[in-house]
Amino acid sequence: MYKNAQELLELCEKSGKRAWEIALDTEIKLTGMSGEKILEHFGKRLDIMINSAKKALEHKQATKGGLIDGVANCQYEYSKTEDSVTGGYLNYVMALAYSSSEVNASMGKICASPTAGSCGILPAVLVAMMEKENISREKVLEALVFASAIGAIYTRNATVAGADGGCQAECGVASSMAAAAAAYMKGASDKACFDAAGFAMINVMGLVCDPVAGLVALPCAHRNASGAVNALIAADMALAGQVSHIPFDQVVDAMFKVGKMLPPQLRETAKGGIASTPAGKAIYKEIFGA
């Protein structure tokens, strides 16, 4: 059993197991289920993630207020062009993230990872890397277990609620989880995976939660797209040999403290940020009336 990254890494060193294996052992102890049964549950969640990341690529979903209808297809079609700024792969990653957000906003089936508002980040990274790198389903499931351990550490020691810590606690944590998973799938050490997770959070620390009209759509969908790309960037930082001088557990602690410093207007109340702009207020009035 572990409470934080340091304890998890110490268990890895003592046992000779990888972090995902220790996380799986912990689930076995907590649930009383077999490892095979737990991985079966993870497999079902992975299938939901894959479906949500693909569903809106070619079929526009009807979302509340129509704020993000068709955003996935828009980015997907653009990813096929040859003159984009960041290239087809990153645009495809963004399209996958948009898709899950669009499915969520249309009341479709998604896997909260760690929340519904951030549901597109981890699936986008897993699906894109699985396809690009031809990674086995077994390896992807291991990465998903690792990502869940990252999320569990945030949940235990900080927060994953936008109302409590801003969007850094939702899309930021999701990006951190995805960064660790991406680094793992590319063969990084457990320590490097935690560095990747730390980089991803550091990159977006302080991110506010300001849903326009109070809906989980705008800017949530755009932050899912950027959060997925941020995860890949953070993974590459760690894979390149960049070392986080701030230990992961201290990054988690800092994020929690920053979240508590955010005023209520910037924590999911729709009373600050872009939600409080004239355009944001006009959208609210158009959807809900005066």
Side-chain angles (χ1 to χ4, degrees):
M1 304 289 281
Y2 57 91
K3 297 177 182 177
N4 51 41
Q6 181 179 341
E7 291 184 4
L8 178 52
L9 289 171
E10 287 174 354
L11 287 171
C12 289
E13 187 174 351
K14 290 178 181 178
S15 66
K17 293 183 177 182
R18 294 299 306 264
W20 77 268
E21 293 177 293
I22 299 295
L24 181 61
D25 288 343
T26 299
E27 287 299 308
I28 292 171
K29 292 176 182 177
L30 290 173
T31 64
M33 293 191 295
S34 67
E36 292 76 14
K37 191 67 176 179
I38 291 170
L39 287 175
E40 182 183 327
H41 279 286
F42 271 96
K44 291 178 180 178
R45 283 155 180 76
L46 176 61
D47 289 337
I48 293 170
M49 289 181 175
I50 293 171
N51 182 66
S52 69
K54 296 276 194 175
K55 186 175 182 179
L57 292 183
E58 296 181 346
H59 303 285
K60 180 173 70 174
Q61 306 297 298
T63 67
K64 177 71 174 180
L67 294 177
I68 59 170
D69 291 15
V71 292
N73 177 256
C74 176
Q75 204 70 40
Y76 179 55
E77 292 302 323
Y78 180 66
S79 73
K80 301 175 186 178
T81 65
E82 297 180 356
D83 60 350
S84 63
V85 175
T86 58
Y89 179 65
L90 288 186
N91 277 281
Y92 178 58
V93 170
M94 287 189 276
L96 293 169
Y98 272 131
S99 178
S100 291
S101 290
E102 202 172 330
V103 170
N104 176 56
S106 64
M107 303 307 292
K109 192 173 186 178
I110 53 92
C111 182
S113 47
T115 65
S118 60
C119 69
I121 296 172
L122 183 56
V125 170
L126 293 177
V127 170
M129 289 197 63
M130 181 168 53
E131 294 178 349
K132 180 175 180 285
E133 308 287 341
N134 195 28
I135 297 172
S136 68
R137 181 178 175 87
E138 180 182 21
K139 188 78 170 181
V140 175
L141 284 175
E142 292 171 3
L144 183 54
V145 174
F146 200 152
S148 75
I150 299 291
I153 290 170
Y154 276 109
T155 302
R156 184 183 186 110
N157 300 292
T159 181
V160 295
D164 196 27
C167 197
Q168 60 164 7
E170 295 202 22
C171 287
V173 171
S175 189
S176 189
M177 293 166 64
Y184 175 80
M185 287 188 285
K186 286 292 286 184
S189 68
D190 291 330
K191 172 62 169 61
C193 290
F194 275 109
D195 281 347
F199 289 142
M201 176 54 72
I202 289 169
N203 291 346
V204 298
M205 190 172 291
L207 187 62
V208 304
C209 184
D210 50 350
V212 172
L215 301 172
V216 184
L218 180 69
C220 315
H222 303 317
R223 289 178 181 160
N224 272 258
S226 63
V229 174
N230 176 49
L232 295 176
I233 291 170
D236 261 343
M237 289 176 179
L239 289 163
Q242 304 289 352
V243 176
S244 178
H245 294 289
I246 310 300
F248 178 74
D249 290 327
Q250 293 182 35
V251 172
V252 174
D253 183 56
M255 179 276 271
F256 190 43
K257 290 178 179 177
V258 167
K260 293 300 184 182
M261 292 177 188
L262 293 175
Q265 292 87 342
L266 301 179
R267 284 188 277 132
E268 212 172 352
T269 59
K271 295 181 179 180
I274 66 168
S276 65
T277 62
K281 292 178 179 178
I283 290 172
Y284 177 90
K285 186 175 181 180
E286 180 179 348
I287 296 174
F288 297 108

